[in-house]
Amino acid sequence: MENTILEMQKDLDEGHFIAFVSANENPYCAVMKSDELNFPDSKTVVIHKNDGRTTIINLNFIIEVCIRRVGQYA
């Protein structure tokens, strides 16, 4: 999963992001190309944003990882 997510991030175009979607899809976490990702274990991703925020995601609660356009919901 780590390699797949890092490859998706590397290939992001302007105006796109990686969405980590939970079962209720609201909220989901967005990863931009400039964000720093760390994988402390196979089920956890830590996202460091440029503005200093850090988000920790347990991948057990994620049902989909996809690329979306900014402004796109579904």
Side-chain angles (χ1 to χ4, degrees):
M1 180 67 86
E2 176 180 349
N3 291 336
T4 301
I5 293 169
L6 291 173
E7 188 70 26
M8 289 171 73
Q9 184 186 30
K10 184 182 87 170
D11 294 339
L12 283 176
D13 295 329
E14 183 70 29
H16 289 84
F17 63 93
I18 298 171
F20 289 88
V21 184
S22 63
N24 64 2
E25 194 163 321
N26 192 9
Y28 60 79
C29 184
V31 174
M32 308 304 284
K33 189 166 190 164
S34 61
D35 295 339
E36 179 186 335
L37 301 178
N38 298 92
F39 297 84
D41 59 53
S42 64
K43 293 295 181 184
T44 307
V45 61
V46 180
I47 305 164
H48 300 282
K49 299 281 190 179
N50 285 339
D51 64 3
R53 291 180 296 146
T54 299
T55 302
I56 301 171
I57 297 176
N58 181 335
L59 295 174
N60 288 322
F61 299 115
I62 300 300
I63 61 168
E64 181 181 9
V65 179
C66 59
I67 294 177
R68 295 185 176 179
R69 286 187 318 273
V70 174
Q72 175 187 8
Y73 180 72

